[in-house]
């Protein structure tokens, strides 16, 4: 059973930057898309950014122009560069991958805290 391992969360001041990384441990048959989600207490998990194998990307309106998702197909990784961070970006960030067979995989989550 494949697992996603995240790294890079932490505490940063408003306006600062972080880079989140996610790597696959084990085997996933042909990844179709990779994404990052965010969750805060009392709210549903929301999509932050998604990248397909084609390279096309989608972003939540709240992070457009500030966050950048990237992937390395050979290394089976997905990163999220977070710039110009705001306190409202605080939350637990989850890595997500989906195979062409429809199987989905989630990371354990990494905390991002932005202080004002």
């Amino acid at each position: 059973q494949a697992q996603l391992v995240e790294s890079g969360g932490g505490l940063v001041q408003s306006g600062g930057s972080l880079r989140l990384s996610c790597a696959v441990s084990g085997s996933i048959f042909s990844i179709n898309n990779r994404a990052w989600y965010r969750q805060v207490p009392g709210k549903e998990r929301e999509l932050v950014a998604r990248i397909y194998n084609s390279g096309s990307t989608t972003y939540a309106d709240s992070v457009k122009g500030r966050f950048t998702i990237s992937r390395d197909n050979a290394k089976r990784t997905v990163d999220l560069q977070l710039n110009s961070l705001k306190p409202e970006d605080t939350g637990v960030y989850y890595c997500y991958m989906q195979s062409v067979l429809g199987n989905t995989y989630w990371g354990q989550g990494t905390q991002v805290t932005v202080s004002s």
Side-chain angles (χ1 to χ4, degrees), residues 8-24:
L11 172 64
V12 64
Q13 289 188 334
S14 181
S17 298
L18 284 173
R19 187 174 184 87
L20 307 182
S21 296
C22 174
V24 178

Side-chain angles (χ1 to χ4, degrees), residues 38-61:
R38 174 171 70 195
Q39 189 167 26
V40 298
K43 293 190 176 182
E44 292 188 356
R45 195 172 295 184
E46 62 174 357
L47 176 67
V48 175
R50 187 185 305 279
I51 185 166
Y52 293 88
N53 276 350
S54 65
S56 65
T57 57
T58 59
Y59 293 92
D61 288 342

Side-chain angles (χ1 to χ4, degrees), residues 1-2 6 13-14 18 21-22 24-25 31 37 39 43 46 51-52 65 70 74-76 82 89 91 104 111-113:
Q1 180 69 15
E6 299 144 341
Q13 289 188 334
S14 181
L18 284 173
S21 296
C22 174
V24 178
S25 174
I31 298 170
Y37 285 75
Q39 189 167 26
K43 293 190 176 182
E46 62 174 357
I51 185 166
Y52 293 88
S70 60
K75 296 180 179 179
R76 301 186 305 163
L82 297 74
D89 294 319
T104 59
Q111 178 71 44
V112 171
T113 303

Side-chain angles (χ1 to χ4, degrees), residues 82-108:
L82 297 74
N83 295 331
S84 302
L85 281 160
K86 305 176 181 179
E88 52 263 43
D89 294 319
T90 294
V92 179
Y93 284 69
Y94 294 90
C95 175
Y96 165 96
M97 295 189 187
Q98 183 180 39
S99 75
V100 295
L101 300 179
N103 297 321
T104 59
Y105 304 83
W106 291 92
Q108 80 283 0

